[in-house]
Amino acid sequence: MRHSLRSPRRRLVMGGTAVALAAGLTLTATSAFGSPGDAGASPGAAGGTDVTETGAADATEEAGVRANTVVFEDTFDGPAGAAPDESRWNTEVGDNVHNNELQYYTPGNANAALDGEGNLVITARETAPGESYPCWYGECEYTSARINTSGKFAAEYGRVEARIKVPAGQGMWPAFWMLGDDFHEVDWPASGEIDIMEYVGYDPHHVFGYVHGPGYSGDSGIGGSYRLPGGEPIADDFRTFAVDWAPDSITWLVDDVPYQTLTPADLDGNEWVFNKPFFLILNLAVGGNWPGSPDETTVFPAELVVDHVRVSVDEASAAALD
């Protein structure tokens, strides 16, 4: 498990994620699977490599990605209060005991809705008087939302990005991530997991990017962290979180600045399970093993605001998809 910001490659990031897929949540839109649990479990201080701008150009070249044809995009245009587009997204329903998270994911537009200004807003709220949702610890104290593209879209290589403004505050745990589209056939961690962005409110200056697979899941997930060059809090503004993904290579970027690249050589001889399709997930968890619980400083409602989600590939890959 993680012990310091400089301790590389070990943490419980999405370890509970796919376990809950098999056991917990349900979907309110037609989908190919039962539904993921949530953005992982990671007690203690955040781990991984703390990187800023160094090596940006080289990392982009090494990724071998020339993403210029859009194959999936949601810019969240529509009337205020509308639910996410059901042709693109499934909405998950339930709690997540595996990470000891405190929220209940609600259906429809209760906690995930367009704002009428080109954004999707996922809102974490304290449970209102008269509301009653069952959580692993009793009556749920918070509600939030989680959506995914399983059975509707799966990415395979290219640039996968989202422009997001994360919520500040103790106990906040937003994530933009992917699970292998073959999850139901091979289960987790053989399905693989790519964490494009995770953020925990107690560490306002870092975001995290990791992978999980057979032999490097749970507290052995591999990846690192990024701090903005000027040291600004991550939650102060919108940031574009992305991966440039090619066979045998994944590069993480924040606002087009690459901060780490992983290849099979980084897996200590374990299997690389990322040369296949993955579906997309967005969620805002409240509390859990990694971020800890909200406290008296936490402001509710808290909002994860998403300007767009986009997947783009090079022309040759786009032609192959046709």
Side-chain angles (χ1 to χ4, degrees):
M1 62 181 60
R2 298 187 305 188
H3 298 289
S4 77
L5 286 169
R6 299 288 179 179
S7 174
R9 300 179 53 176
R10 295 189 60 81
R11 67 172 185 151
L12 285 169
V13 178
M14 297 286 195
T17 296
V19 176
L21 257 162
L25 303 171
T26 59
L27 298 176
T28 59
T30 303
S31 165
F33 75 103
S35 156
D38 207 303
S42 188
T49 305
D50 183 15
V51 192
T52 54
E53 289 193 20
T54 56
D58 289 344
T60 300
E61 289 298 317
E62 288 172 6
V65 175
R66 299 293 181 270
N68 51 23
T69 300
V70 175
V71 295
F72 176 91
E73 183 173 46
D74 198 339
T75 55
F76 303 108
D77 297 316
D85 181 357
E86 288 189 1
S87 71
R88 295 183 173 100
W89 302 98
N90 306 299
T91 302
E92 304 182 27
V93 180
D95 67 345
N96 186 19
V97 61
H98 300 284
N99 298 324
N100 290 328
E101 296 164 20
L102 303 177
Q103 81 291 326
Y104 186 92
Y105 289 131
T106 63
N109 65 350
N111 292 77
L114 308 187
D115 66 358
E117 299 179 359
N119 300 303
L120 169 70
V121 182
I122 296 178
T123 304
R125 298 186 176 93
E126 293 179 295
T127 305
E131 290 183 322
S132 180
Y133 299 100
C135 276
W136 58 271
Y137 57 89
E139 291 292 319
C140 297
E141 298 176 4
Y142 308 94
T143 61
S144 188
R146 174 167 153 165
I147 61 175
N148 70 70
T149 67
S150 179
K152 298 179 177 180
F153 173 77
E156 187 173 9
Y157 309 133
R159 174 165 290 196
V160 183
E161 70 172 55
R163 185 170 181 262
I164 294 172
K165 188 175 189 298
V166 300
Q170 169 59 34
M172 294 297 100
W173 192 0
F176 173 45
W177 51 294
M178 301 191 288
L179 281 173
D181 206 38
D182 59 354
F183 169 80
H184 272 310
E185 289 72 45
V186 302
D187 211 343
W188 186 91
S191 62
E193 178 178 319
I194 302 171
D195 304 336
I196 302 170
M197 179 280 294
E198 283 187 285
Y199 170 85
V200 286
Y202 73 77
D203 186 357
H205 298 286
H206 290 85
V207 290
F208 303 88
Y210 274 71
V211 295
H212 294 262
Y216 49 101
S217 62
D219 64 353
S220 297
I222 296 173
S225 66
Y226 176 80
R227 180 184 177 96
L228 293 168
E232 309 95 319
I234 299 296
D236 274 7
D237 204 348
F238 281 91
R239 318 287 179 194
T240 300
F241 304 102
V243 291
D244 278 347
W245 175 23
D248 294 339
S249 176
I250 305 171
T251 294
W252 281 256
L253 309 92
V254 177
D255 292 337
D256 288 326
V257 177
Y259 69 93
Q260 69 171 346
T261 295
L262 295 178
T263 72
D266 297 303
L267 303 188
D268 296 331
N270 292 302
E271 182 183 4
W272 177 269
V273 291
F274 308 105
N275 294 345
K276 61 184 181 182
F278 278 65
F279 62 87
L280 315 179
I281 307 168
L282 281 164
N283 70 280
L284 173 55
V286 180
N289 295 334
W290 185 12
S293 297
D295 61 20
E296 67 279 0
T297 68
T298 308
V299 177
F300 288 98
E303 296 182 341
L304 173 66
V305 185
V306 186
D307 172 71
H308 72 257
V309 176
R310 181 180 301 130
V311 180
S312 50
V313 300
D314 61 39
E315 291 179 359
S317 297
L321 290 172
D322 295 337

